[in-house]
Amino acid sequence: MMLNMSLVFSGMASIEPRYFDARTGFSLPSRIGLRPPRETLCLDRDLELGVVSHWIRSTRKILHQAASRLGQGSEMATSKSNGQPQLLFVDGTLEELAKEMADYLKSDEAKQLLTKGAAKEEVLSKLVAASQALSTVPEKEYTAASNLMIHLVLQSADPKKHLPALCSNLAKPPMGNSPVHGPGLSLNALTTVFNLLKQEDPIRARVFMEIIKFLRAYGMFDSLRPYLDKLPDWIDSWDCGEEFERKLYQEVADAALEAGEDELSYESILKALRTFDDDDKEELSSDQAQRISLRAVKMAISSNTHFLFQDIRAVPSVQALSESHPIYSQLLDIFAEQDLEDYNDFNDEHKGWIEQQKFDQVKLHRKMRLLTFASLAAATPSREIEYAKIAKALQIPEEDVEMWAIDVIRAGLVEGKLSQKRSMFLVHKVTYRVFGQRQYQELATRVDHWRATLQNVLGVLKQEHENAKSQREREMQDLERKMNNAGMGQGVQGRRQQRERTDNDD
């Protein structure tokens, strides 16, 4: 999986991935065609003359060599057996490329080693040390130079020996010559290193860490956001160990926090906490585990949007705070399932502690009132709460109840509506802060209430059914009686008419 960050800057729509021809020093567009490149990044200033014709010849040569190697099953065609594309096309031997790089970086030590025919690793070490000069190169030459440097390092028998220093140098943008696009150019170079490594290569983890630090330093967290969902799978493939995974998530948390993404930062801290072994009590009570746990607790309690604490209370290292930091554990329990009165008792018991720990007392007090409102709504079977009862629980004037009702609805803890005429808050839906034995009892009480209500409704329906049945029977009886009466009347009238006809006949 490739990390392909598309960055947008003023005056530049995006930085396009480019293929680099190390022999000519040209950075070719990713879609190679027989047309001049939109920009030429030259390592050798003498090559600027005749750039168009030279570029066409070089492009044809590269394509011809690539086709030839593909047909022969060469190393270039098979070097990415996992389906990852070849991002850099180079032409020339390692010695020739290293000499060009040494000349460009003005590394006398590397030149001397090349002249003496020194080992490849020694030459690469000197070139990597000299690569810090990349931060001073002109903007149009940076991509070509950094691509060549990356290619040379990846030819090493042990690239991980050189990549940390190289990534550190690439993370220093050419701000002097490119104050606007400098960070984007450096980020492109770092992501090129990431993309050229195999997916399962553990070195990728180190490079990704450098990318996160770079994005954090230059306020570019939005470029990282699309790849956070892929991070767990990447970590599994890298198999970099729990310690590094923990550091990686902490770095993501720091970057997210500085970008104003408090909830994302909190989630990353929880992921870092879950890297500790749940069965190792010594590890759970270590200074590192306790430090990260305290940070998570502070973030959860201080957050303006986080109101449910079951996730953090389920983390073993946080549970271990009950022994090492009992006051923090007590405060977390209060915010998880208790109410405003308990919070006030806590403040009376530990006077000044909230301020000493640099909590915002006003923010915590407001949050506790919202949580108390939610608990009150959840504990009311009738789903109708009087204003006076809300005012008492929240310790506020009754005229402020409607304002707090609106706030708790905005927080997503409760859904309902106000009845000003009846001075009641009608609960439609409520979020349970915890669901333990107490909540099961409340649910059982509510179910019993519903059952009694349904039984009453059922009794009324049965009674109405019986009444309707009796009414139908009475109506049928009345109808039969009327029909019988009508039949008798017709019989008498018939006999009377018969007698009249008989008399007439006589």
Side-chain angles (χ1 to χ4, degrees):
M1 187 173 295
M2 293 175 55
L3 183 66
N4 184 17
M5 297 184 178
S6 178
L7 305 176
V8 178
F9 302 94
S10 58
M12 179 180 289
S14 65
I15 296 182
E16 182 183 16
R18 310 181 76 79
Y19 298 96
F20 175 65
D21 177 8
R23 287 292 293 167
T24 63
F26 294 135
S27 174
L28 307 179
S30 57
R31 300 175 183 84
I32 297 179
L34 295 181
R35 58 182 176 82
R38 287 180 293 178
E39 58 177 324
T40 56
L41 305 181
C42 298
L43 295 180
D44 188 345
R45 305 299 295 177
D46 295 336
L47 292 176
E48 291 187 11
L49 298 176
V51 61
V52 175
S53 60
H54 194 109
W55 176 80
I56 293 176
R57 291 196 302 271
S58 300
T59 301
R60 288 174 176 171
K61 183 177 180 181
I62 292 171
L63 293 176
H64 176 74
Q65 291 177 347
S68 175
R69 292 180 181 179
L70 286 172
Q72 298 171 4
S74 67
E75 180 182 356
M76 180 178 180
T78 60
S79 61
K80 301 295 179 183
S81 58
N82 59 1
Q84 186 173 343
Q86 182 76 26
L87 297 182
L88 298 179
F89 290 93
V90 296
D91 182 24
T93 64
L94 180 64
E95 290 74 15
E96 292 173 336
L97 299 176
K99 185 177 184 304
E100 287 189 21
M101 196 76 249
D103 290 337
Y104 185 76
L105 296 176
K106 300 178 182 179
S107 174
D108 294 334
E109 294 180 343
K111 292 179 184 178
Q112 292 175 3
L113 290 175
L114 286 168
T115 303
K116 296 177 181 179
K120 175 176 65 175
E121 298 300 324
E122 295 182 25
V123 175
L124 290 177
S125 296
K126 296 300 180 181
L127 289 176
V128 170
S131 65
Q132 57 185 340
L134 291 174
S135 61
T136 63
V137 304
E139 176 182 321
K140 68 175 185 177
E141 299 178 7
Y142 183 86
T143 299
S146 60
N147 281 349
L148 177 55
M149 191 69 242
I150 293 168
H151 171 75
L152 289 172
V153 168
L154 293 181
Q155 305 313 304
S156 169
D158 188 16
K160 66 181 180 181
K161 181 173 65 175
H162 306 292
L163 280 175
L166 177 61
C167 289
S168 178
N169 291 336
L170 293 177
K172 300 172 183 176
M175 299 301 291
N177 296 322
S178 182
V180 177
H181 302 145
L185 293 172
S186 288
L187 181 57
N188 251 19
L190 290 171
T191 53
T192 297
V193 176
F194 183 90
N195 290 335
L196 286 173
L197 295 170
K198 293 182 179 180
Q199 295 181 18
E200 67 279 4
D201 195 332
I203 307 177
R204 257 193 166 196
R206 311 286 174 177
V207 177
F208 191 75
M209 177 73 84
E210 291 297 325
I211 291 175
I212 295 175
K213 292 179 179 179
F214 180 86
L215 295 173
R216 178 185 173 189
Y218 290 93
M220 302 165 70
F221 181 77
D222 286 341
S223 299
L224 177 65
R225 189 192 309 276
Y227 302 96
L228 293 179
D229 291 339
K230 302 181 179 69
L231 188 54
D233 293 334
W234 285 349
I235 291 175
D236 290 341
S237 65
W238 296 334
D239 193 21
C240 52
E242 295 177 351
E243 183 68 25
F244 186 85
E245 180 181 355
R246 192 176 306 129
K247 291 180 180 178
L248 193 60
Y249 278 124
Q250 289 185 79
E251 196 68 36
V252 172
D254 292 339
L257 186 63
E258 292 179 5
E261 299 286 348
D262 295 349
E263 194 65 22
L264 186 55
S265 177
Y266 171 73
E267 293 173 0
S268 299
I269 286 295
L270 287 187
K271 290 178 180 178
L273 285 175
R274 294 189 181 107
T275 61
F276 291 104
D277 187 354
D278 296 349
D279 299 325
D280 190 341
K281 293 184 178 180
E282 183 177 351
E283 185 179 28
L284 294 176
S285 59
S286 64
D287 292 340
Q288 184 185 32
Q290 297 296 283
R291 175 177 53 80
I292 302 175
S293 298
L294 286 176
R295 178 182 178 183
V297 171
K298 289 180 180 179
M299 292 177 69
I301 292 176
S302 300
S303 173
N304 290 324
T305 58
H306 195 83
F307 295 98
L308 303 179
F309 300 88
Q310 290 302 95
D311 54 352
I312 188 172
R313 295 178 79 194
V315 177
S317 61
V318 174
Q319 295 173 356
L321 291 177
S322 59
E323 298 180 2
S324 59
H325 297 80
I327 300 180
Y328 268 102
S329 182
Q330 181 184 357
L331 182 63
L332 179 61
D333 291 340
I334 290 173
F335 274 85
E337 56 183 328
Q338 299 178 27
D339 55 26
L340 182 61
E341 186 176 353
D342 297 304
Y343 178 70
N344 290 336
D345 292 341
F346 173 87
N347 282 326
D348 293 338
E349 182 181 355
H350 306 285
K351 286 187 178 296
W353 185 86
I354 293 291
E355 291 76 10
Q356 291 175 3
Q357 302 303 315
K358 298 182 179 179
F359 283 111
D360 188 335
Q361 178 70 276
V362 176
K363 181 188 292 187
L364 297 193
H365 204 267
R366 178 183 181 277
K367 186 172 184 176
M368 201 66 238
R369 277 180 168 153
L370 295 175
L371 293 171
T372 301
F373 199 131
S375 295
L376 180 62
T380 305
S382 65
R383 294 298 178 115
E384 294 183 351
I385 315 175
E386 299 175 355
Y387 280 12
K389 191 174 182 180
I390 297 174
K392 181 180 179 181
L394 272 59
Q395 301 176 11
I396 57 173
E398 191 168 329
E399 55 267 23
D400 292 342
V401 166
E402 294 182 358
M403 179 189 69
W404 283 97
I406 294 172
D407 287 345
V408 78
I409 292 173
R410 285 176 176 172
L413 292 171
V414 178
E415 292 182 11
K417 65 179 181 179
L418 295 164
S419 176
Q420 294 178 326
K421 184 177 181 179
R422 299 170 55 196
S423 294
M424 302 277 283
F425 180 76
L426 309 179
V427 181
H428 295 165
K429 182 180 178 182
V430 62
T431 300
Y432 279 89
R433 296 166 60 190
V434 293
F435 212 89
Q437 183 177 359
R438 177 182 172 185
Q439 285 68 38
Y440 275 112
Q441 291 175 350
E442 291 177 358
L443 180 59
T445 302
R446 183 165 297 171
V447 170
D448 291 339
H449 177 75
W450 290 342
R451 181 185 299 167
T453 301
L454 291 175
Q455 287 176 346
N456 292 335
V457 172
L458 182 60
V460 171
L461 291 176
K462 286 182 177 180
Q463 184 62 43
E464 290 298 322
H465 178 71
E466 293 296 331
N467 293 340
K469 184 178 179 180
S470 300
Q471 180 67 24
R472 285 197 302 271
E473 291 178 352
R474 287 195 297 270
E475 291 176 353
M476 290 296 295
Q477 292 174 358
D478 291 343
L479 180 60
E480 290 178 359
R481 187 167 52 253
K482 291 179 180 179
M483 291 178 65
N484 291 335
N485 292 336
M488 292 176 62
Q490 290 177 357
V492 172
Q493 184 177 2
R495 287 194 296 272
R496 184 179 300 166
Q497 291 176 352
Q498 182 66 28
R499 284 196 300 270
E500 290 178 353
R501 286 197 297 271
T502 303
D503 294 341
N504 292 333
D505 291 340
D506 294 341

